[in-house]
C-alpha cells in the first residue's frame, strides 16, 4: 500500500480525501456508504458524499431527484400542468405586497376559479374520477388508463357526450381501449362495473367506433383463457389441454363467428372432462358469465370436430 503521509485535503464541499499514487481508474465509488475507495490498496480516499450527489449517478436517482414536478398525464383534469394562486398576500421573502398588487392577484384568482368552473370542465373532472374507480376495479394499467382518458377527451371534443351520460361514454371508452389493446374484458363485465345496461354500452360503443375511427383488434378466445383459469382455479394440465383445443379450433376455423368467451368456456369444460377435473358446468357458466346452453352448444361442436372426449 502506497499512501503519501499528511496528504489529506478538504475540498469546498467539506469532503475529506486522501491522495494515492495509484491510477484514478482504479477508484471505486460505494454509493451506499458514500465513499470512494482505491481498489488496488483498499484505502478510503473520500468519504462523506451526500445522498443527493450519489443518487444522480444513476438514471433512477436522477429522475427521483428531478425538480420539475410530476409528469403530465391525461388522467388528470389539467394534465398535471395546474397553477395555484395562493391566498396569502405575501411575496417570496415573506413581505406583504402592495395594495395595487393585491387587487391584481384578487382579479387573477377570480378568473382562475371561473375558468375551472365551466360545465365541460366539471364533466371532465367527474369522468376522470370515475375512470380512477374503474381502473382500480378492473385492474387496468397506467398505459390503458391513459388510452381511455385520450379516447374520452377526443369524444368530448367532438361533442359526443351531449345527450349521453358520463358513465355511458366512459364505459364505451374503457371497452374500446381494452379491445384495441387485446385485454379480454367483455361488455357485461364493463357494464356491471359502471352500473349501466349492456344495451346502452353497446350503442355508445358503436358511436365511438364510427366517429373516432377506432379499429379494434379481432377478439381471440385465447385472450380469455388465463382469466377463466384463474377464476375457476383449474390445474395447469387442464389449462394446457384447453390451450391445445383452442389452437386446433383456431387453425380449423371452428366457431369463428361465435363469442370468444363462449368458445373459451366450451374448450375449458372439455379440458376439465378430459383431465377428470370435477368442475360443474353451472359453475363455469357463473364464473365466465356465459349461459349453460351456449357452453353445451360449443362443447358439442368442438367435440364433434376434434373428438377430444
Amino acid at each position: 500500500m502506497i499512501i503519501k503521509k499528511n496528504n489529506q485535503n478538504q475540498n469546498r464541499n467539506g469532503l475529506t480525501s486522501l491522495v494515492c499514487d495509484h491510477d484514478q481508474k482504479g477508484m471505486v465509488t460505494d454509493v451506499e456508504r458514500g465513499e470512494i475507495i482505491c481498489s488496488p490498496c483498499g484505502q478510503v480516499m473520500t468519504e462523506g458524499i451526500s445522498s443527493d450527489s450519489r443518487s444522480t449517478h444513476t438514471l433512477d436517482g436522477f429522475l427521483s431527484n428531478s425538480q420539475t414536478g410530476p409528469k403530465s398525464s391525461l388522467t388528470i383534469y389539467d394534465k398535471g400542468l395546474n397553477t395555484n394562486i395562493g391566498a396569502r398576500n405575501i411575496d417570496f421573502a415573506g413581505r406583504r405586497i402592495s395594495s395595487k398588487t393585491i387587487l391584481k392577484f384578487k382579479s387573477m384568482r377570480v378568473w382562475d376559479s371561473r375558468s375551472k368552473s365551466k360545465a365541460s370542465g366539471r364533466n371532465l373532472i367527474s369522468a376522470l374520477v370515475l375512470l380512477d374507480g374503474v381502473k382500480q376495479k378492473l385492474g387496468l394499467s397506467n398505459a390503458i388508463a391513459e388510452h381511455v382518458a385520450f379516447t374520452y377527451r377526443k369524444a368530448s371534443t367532438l361533442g359526443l357526450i351531449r345527450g349521453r351520460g358520463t358513465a355511458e361514454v366512459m364505459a364505451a371508452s374503457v371497452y374500446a381501449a381494452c379491445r384495441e389493446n387485446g385485454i379480454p374484458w367483455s361488455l357485461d363485465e364493463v357494464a356491471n362495473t359502471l352500473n349501466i345496461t349492456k344495451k346502452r354500452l353497446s350503442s355508445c360503443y358503436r358511436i365511438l367506433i364510427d366517429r373516432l375511427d377506432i379499429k379494434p383488434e379481432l377478439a381471440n378466445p385465447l385472450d380469455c383463457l388465463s382469466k377463466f383459469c384463474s377464476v375457476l382455479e383449474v390445474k395447469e394440465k387442464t389449462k394446457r389441454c384447453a390451450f391445445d383445443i383452442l389452437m386446433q379450433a383456431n387453425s380449423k376455423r371452428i366457431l369463428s363467428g361465435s363469442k370468444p368467451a363462449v368458445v373459451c368456456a366450451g374448450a375449458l369444460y372439455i379440458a376439465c372432462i378430459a383431465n377428470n377435473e370435477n368442475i360443474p358446468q353451472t359453475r363455469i357458466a357463473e364464473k365466465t358469465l356465459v349461459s349453460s346452453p351456449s357452453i353445451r352448444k360449443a362443447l358439442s361442436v368442438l367435440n364433434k370436430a376434434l373428438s377430444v372426449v
Side-chain angles (χ1 to χ4, degrees):
M1 180 173 63
I2 305 174
I3 302 176
K4 291 183 179 180
K5 294 182 180 180
N6 300 326
N7 278 346
Q8 291 187 354
N9 52 28
Q10 194 170 15
N11 58 14
R12 338 184 141 170
N13 298 325
L15 302 178
T16 303
S17 60
L18 297 174
V19 178
C20 181
D21 289 339
H22 291 102
D23 191 1
Q24 293 293 326
K25 294 182 179 179
M27 301 300 170
V28 178
T29 303
D30 188 348
V31 295
E32 297 296 332
R33 296 177 176 268
E35 299 172 347
I36 298 177
I37 305 170
C38 178
S39 58
C41 63
Q43 176 67 34
V44 177
M45 306 305 301
T46 305
E47 59 183 357
I49 301 177
S50 64
S51 58
D52 293 337
S53 60
R54 291 200 311 270
S55 59
T56 56
H57 291 305
T58 61
L59 178 60
D60 294 337
F62 174 77
L63 294 177
S64 63
N65 286 338
S66 176
Q67 302 297 320
T68 58
K71 62 180 181 180
S72 60
S73 173
L74 293 174
T75 57
I76 305 175
Y77 162 67
D78 49 15
K79 302 180 182 179
L81 303 175
N82 61 327
T83 55
N84 295 321
I85 303 176
R88 301 176 62 188
N89 296 319
I90 57 176
D91 60 5
F92 70 96
R95 297 187 297 266
R96 184 174 177 81
I97 59 178
S98 63
S99 58
K100 185 177 180 180
T101 309
I102 290 176
L103 292 176
K104 288 184 179 180
F105 272 91
K106 185 178 180 180
S107 177
M108 291 170 62
R109 291 190 190 100
V110 170
W111 283 109
D112 183 59
S113 62
R114 288 178 179 176
S115 65
K116 294 179 180 178
S117 62
K118 293 180 180 179
S120 59
R122 291 195 300 268
N123 178 275
L124 183 59
I125 291 174
S126 61
L128 294 179
V129 171
L130 185 63
L131 172 60
D132 186 64
V134 174
K135 176 184 175 183
Q136 300 296 329
K137 291 181 180 179
L138 296 180
L140 302 178
S141 63
N142 292 332
I144 302 300
E146 291 282 336
H147 196 158
V148 174
F150 173 76
T151 304
Y152 186 89
R153 286 174 181 270
K154 197 172 180 181
S156 177
T157 303
L158 295 177
L160 302 181
I161 301 178
R162 294 178 182 176
R164 300 178 181 88
T166 303
E168 296 178 29
V169 183
M170 178 55 67
S173 302
V174 170
Y175 185 68
C178 291
R179 285 291 303 272
E180 285 187 282
N181 291 275
I183 299 176
W185 286 112
S186 64
L187 281 169
D188 293 316
E189 291 168 327
V190 176
N192 293 335
T193 302
L194 286 137
N195 197 23
I196 62 173
T197 62
K198 180 181 176 181
K199 182 178 180 181
R200 291 164 60 189
L201 170 57
S202 58
S203 175
C204 190
Y205 173 67
R206 286 192 295 268
I207 293 173
L208 292 186
I209 290 289
D210 183 42
R211 296 292 301 275
L212 302 184
D213 195 22
I214 297 175
K215 298 178 181 178
E217 295 287 336
L218 293 176
N220 191 346
L222 289 170
D223 296 335
C224 306
L225 181 60
S226 297
K227 182 177 69 173
F228 289 173
C229 291
S230 177
V231 171
L232 294 169
E233 298 180 352
V234 300
K235 299 177 182 177
E236 184 66 26
K237 185 178 180 181
T238 304
K239 181 179 179 180
R240 293 181 181 178
C241 181
F243 179 80
D244 294 336
I245 293 172
L246 290 176
M247 289 295 292
Q248 295 179 36
N250 286 339
S251 62
K252 295 183 180 181
R253 303 185 67 84
I254 304 172
L255 296 172
S256 58
S258 302
K259 293 182 179 180
V262 173
V263 180
C264 184
L268 192 57
Y269 185 58
I270 294 176
C272 291
I273 297 174
N275 290 277
N276 298 321
E277 190 166 356
N278 187 18
I279 298 181
Q281 186 182 120
T282 54
R283 185 166 180 265
I284 295 178
E286 179 185 357
K287 295 295 183 179
T288 60
L289 300 179
V290 177
S291 63
S292 295
S294 299
I295 295 179
R296 287 195 293 270
K297 184 177 180 181
L299 168 66
S300 175
V301 174
L302 289 173
N303 190 32
K304 184 177 181 181
L306 304 177
S307 300
V308 180
V309 293

